[in-house]
Amino acid sequence: YSLLINAIETAAEGKRDEAVRLVYDFAAKYHVLGMIDLFQEYVMENRDRIPVGNIIDLAVHLMIKGTKAEAVKFGMSLLELINLDGQDELKDSIRLLALEDEFTLYAAFLMQNWENPNKELFYILQKVEGWGRVHLVRMIEADSEEIEEWLVRNGVHNDVIPAYSGLDCYTKVHY
């Protein structure tokens, strides 16, 4: 956690390359998932003194050019803190990353704040088959007959364990 906070502070000072190195040091040993709320809270609590542009620069750099999965996830998690309206090129990159099961969950959290989030999630849900599918079945709202039918026919079919999605499909479908 301290490496990520140091990276945020270093990026805030305008030292992106050094911040990237700190994130890579973290990514070599740890996982981001259990720490997202902590570092997002840190950024929010310190938003008056942390230049948002520097954090966005770090986040986009890590997401687009990151070479370690955990660094990419960290960048995506930082982007949850900003409004991505009008950032179509960035959204296209997020959609592309969402197709990789490793990043689907992180992309889905970003997509939840977009216009028509369920439509975005459903598009990706139909294309992923591993943990990404498991996560999206849990997150999606069955707000149309098309989604309900898809969940009935395909929702439990994943490359992990079908039972991980069974209860979610059952409780979401109104047949």
Side-chain angles (χ1 to χ4, degrees):
Y1 172 73
S2 61
L3 282 171
L4 296 179
I5 297 305
N6 287 342
I8 290 167
E9 289 295 335
T10 302
E13 295 170 7
K15 301 175 189 172
R16 185 189 71 199
D17 292 341
E18 189 177 330
V20 168
R21 184 188 56 74
L22 290 167
V23 173
Y24 279 24
D25 288 348
F26 172 90
K29 300 175 189 170
Y30 307 106
H31 297 282
V32 168
L33 187 60
M35 299 184 189
I36 294 172
D37 290 340
L38 295 172
F39 68 74
Q40 285 180 345
E41 184 177 309
Y42 181 85
V43 171
M44 293 305 293
E45 287 175 354
N46 293 282
R47 67 181 173 261
D48 293 338
R49 64 171 192 77
I50 294 177
V52 68
N54 292 357
I55 300 304
I56 292 170
D57 179 55
L58 174 65
V60 170
H61 178 84
L62 289 169
M63 188 185 84
I64 301 294
K65 297 183 178 180
T67 58
K68 294 186 183 284
E70 295 302 313
V72 174
K73 294 173 186 178
F74 179 65
M76 294 175 82
S77 298
L78 284 173
L79 288 176
E80 283 182 53
L81 300 173
I82 65 164
N83 183 334
L84 296 176
D85 288 346
Q87 301 294 321
D88 294 336
E89 192 173 316
L90 195 55
K91 286 182 175 182
D92 286 342
S93 296
I94 292 164
R95 287 180 187 104
L96 185 61
L97 284 167
L99 297 173
E100 172 55 48
D101 284 292
E102 181 85 12
F103 304 117
T104 306
L105 178 64
Y106 300 84
F109 274 101
L110 288 164
M111 291 175 179
Q112 284 184 323
N113 297 314
W114 298 358
E115 187 175 331
N116 300 315
N118 217 48
K119 181 180 176 185
E120 297 279 358
L121 295 177
F122 186 53
Y123 176 79
I124 301 300
L125 175 59
Q126 296 172 83
K127 298 184 178 314
V128 293
E129 296 177 354
W131 279 108
R133 180 170 287 185
V134 172
H135 292 304
L136 290 181
V137 164
R138 185 169 297 128
M139 295 173 78
I140 198 159
E141 294 178 32
D143 62 0
S144 70
E145 284 187 33
E146 180 184 18
I147 293 174
E148 281 190 3
E149 183 175 333
W150 192 92
L151 288 171
V152 167
R153 296 181 186 278
N154 305 294
V156 298
H157 301 296
N158 61 60
D159 292 343
V160 186
I161 296 175
Y164 286 167
S165 299
L167 183 58
D168 290 312
C169 289
Y170 176 78
T171 58
K172 290 176 187 246
V173 175
H174 301 99
Y175 283 96

